[in-house]
Amino acid sequence: MKNAAITILLVDDEQDILEFVGYALKKEGFRVLTSFNGKDAIEIAKKEIPDLILLDIMMPEMDGIE
């Protein structure tokens, strides 16, 4: 699969959304990473360097705009 080389980081505070969107992306062959908040997402992004980050705007602690 050509999409396997593409890594996407999903960031959302709702587990259902992470599972649903993550499943759809994995089904298309993408490598998917997930995080429940902005602070953890920053750490994951530093280590993994994703090709794309999809994030929720309204999250506790650190919102998507920050």
Side-chain angles (χ1 to χ4, degrees):
M1 294 184 167
K2 59 184 172 185
N3 291 338
I6 299 173
T7 301
I8 300 174
L9 173 57
L10 298 177
V11 186
D12 200 308
D13 59 329
E14 293 191 35
Q15 178 69 29
D16 292 343
I17 293 173
L18 288 178
E19 289 178 11
F20 179 76
V21 175
Y23 174 79
L25 291 170
K26 286 177 185 176
K27 187 175 175 184
E28 292 299 318
F30 295 101
R31 178 174 177 246
V32 178
L33 308 170
T34 59
S35 176
F36 290 105
N37 63 62
K39 289 183 181 183
D40 289 344
I42 290 172
E43 294 304 314
I44 293 170
K46 286 179 182 178
K47 291 178 187 173
E48 299 288 336
I49 309 174
D51 298 293
L52 176 69
I53 300 175
L54 298 175
L55 63 143
D56 185 12
I57 297 294
M58 297 176 59
M59 292 184 294
E61 292 184 50
M62 176 184 279
D63 63 35
I65 296 173
E66 287 182 85

